[in-house]
Amino acid sequence: MISLPRILLAFTLSVLAFSSLSFAKNKKVVFLADKGKNTAVHAHESGNAILANALEESGLGFDTAQYKGWPTDAKVFDGADSVVIFCNGGKGHLVMNHLDQFEKLIDSGVGFVFMHYAVEVPIGRAGVLMREAMGGYFETHWSVNPHWTADFKSLPKHPITRGVKPFTQKDEWYFHMRFQPEMKGVTPILSAHPPKETMNRKDGPHSNNPHVRKSMAAGEIQHIGWAYERPNGKGRGFGTTGGHYHNTWARDNWRTVILNAIVWTCGVDVPEKGVPSIAQLIK
């Protein structure tokens, strides 16, 4: 005969287990955007909306919040597992007037995802912080920003590539990023060989330079999407130079890569078939 105390213990444990499942805290993702350009290119708010909606509808347990500009209330970031930034870069980048807060978020282990122009900030403290957040960034007079069709012939085995097949995509793929020394902590996710025509432009802060010409002449493959694990397990980051054309969000492989990356930077195990989503464009 089973004693009453053992029955009570089993009942209590089952209630606690049910409660922990019922009240498990969803992961929180904060999306930041600026106005961008138009509905066809640099549609930052609409691009974020597509990704946020997909996460909410995935059934994986995500809560999202979308903001235009950097939030004035610092409490917006309380409990955030990852921050996704899709905005104009350079001196007008959203982090530029908030570098102290940006640094605190990095140090606290918050994940970061930067897309397209948002991978570029000025050289100096901002560049150092971007590398600490996601492992690399667009550095003027080092990186370049041509339009070309990337052929991703193979993909590495990584949680971010789950459910993704090799694909080709035309975009304004910036390349020759300034990565962490010796690529420490950086895992290339999307890599391709740009065509020689990308070197036909005159030298300039974004267009061409001797460093990228040397890299291209050596036949080096260029990494245009990458994952980063910060030292001592203090968070993850992801950066990609794609995202210029709004219509690319209707492409399953591209959209899945970014959704997987967001989930991964939250510290969540990516489903074997990738984050589920449907192609829907928001204007």
Side-chain angles (χ1 to χ4, degrees):
M1 178 180 292
I2 302 176
S3 65
L4 181 60
R6 289 180 64 184
I7 294 174
L8 290 174
L9 176 61
F11 176 75
T12 301
L13 291 174
S14 65
V15 170
L16 290 174
F18 176 79
S19 298
S20 64
L21 289 173
S22 300
F23 298 100
K25 183 181 177 182
N26 283 356
K27 293 293 183 178
K28 178 180 177 181
V29 182
V30 176
F31 287 83
L32 306 183
D34 58 12
K35 185 177 180 180
K37 292 184 178 180
N38 53 54
T39 59
V41 298
H42 287 226
H44 301 146
E45 291 179 273
S46 298
N48 277 354
I50 290 170
L51 296 169
N53 289 350
L55 285 177
E56 295 255 2
E57 296 170 0
S58 69
L60 298 175
F62 282 89
D63 293 327
T64 66
Q66 300 172 59
Y67 297 90
K68 183 177 179 180
W70 191 274
T72 56
D73 186 357
K75 292 182 179 179
V76 163
F77 298 107
D78 288 352
D81 295 285
S82 187
V83 177
V84 179
I85 302 183
F86 196 17
C87 69
N88 291 322
K91 294 180 180 179
H93 197 293
L94 290 180
V95 304
M96 289 308 295
N97 292 325
H98 307 278
L99 292 179
D100 289 342
Q101 190 176 9
F102 181 36
E103 185 171 16
K104 289 180 181 178
L105 289 169
I106 298 169
D107 290 343
S108 68
V110 173
F112 273 96
V113 173
F114 293 88
M115 299 182 290
H116 199 46
Y117 200 4
V119 302
E120 182 194 333
V121 292
I123 298 171
R125 183 188 179 194
V128 171
L129 290 177
M130 287 289 274
R131 285 200 289 176
E132 291 180 359
M134 63 164 172
Y137 80 110
F138 184 108
E139 182 180 292
T140 53
H141 298 287
W142 175 267
S143 310
V144 290
N145 66 347
H147 290 253
W148 53 288
T149 299
D151 185 1
F152 305 112
K153 296 180 179 180
S154 63
L155 300 169
K157 187 176 181 179
H158 189 278
I160 293 177
T161 63
R162 289 175 182 170
V164 182
K165 298 178 181 178
F167 65 101
T168 61
Q169 184 165 301
K170 181 180 179 180
D171 212 312
E172 186 183 22
W173 295 111
Y174 314 155
F175 65 90
H176 200 243
M177 298 293 104
R178 176 67 81 178
F179 290 110
Q180 289 283 28
E182 300 180 354
M183 298 289 285
K184 189 172 182 179
V186 178
T187 300
I189 300 297
L190 297 176
S191 304
H193 287 283
K196 295 180 179 179
E197 294 75 33
T198 58
M199 296 290 96
N200 289 343
R201 300 186 297 173
K202 295 181 180 179
D203 283 10
H206 298 85
S207 56
N208 211 338
N209 61 73
H211 311 290
V212 71
R213 285 196 294 274
K214 180 179 179 181
S215 176
M216 286 286 286
E220 295 175 348
I221 196 166
Q222 302 297 328
H223 309 308
I224 50 186
W226 62 93
Y228 180 59
E229 297 193 63
R230 299 179 200 140
N232 304 315
K234 292 186 176 180
R236 296 169 170 176
F238 176 82
T240 182
T241 68
H244 180 76
Y245 299 109
H246 185 62
N247 62 16
T248 57
W249 293 118
R251 305 191 62 167
D252 292 342
N253 286 308
W254 167 246
R255 192 178 62 258
T256 301
V257 165
I258 306 305
L259 288 170
N260 287 354
I262 297 171
V263 169
W264 182 78
T265 60
C266 288
V268 175
D269 189 32
V270 179
E272 285 301 317
K273 295 183 179 179
V275 177
S277 67
I278 59 173
Q280 53 179 351
L281 292 180
I282 297 174
K283 299 295 184 181

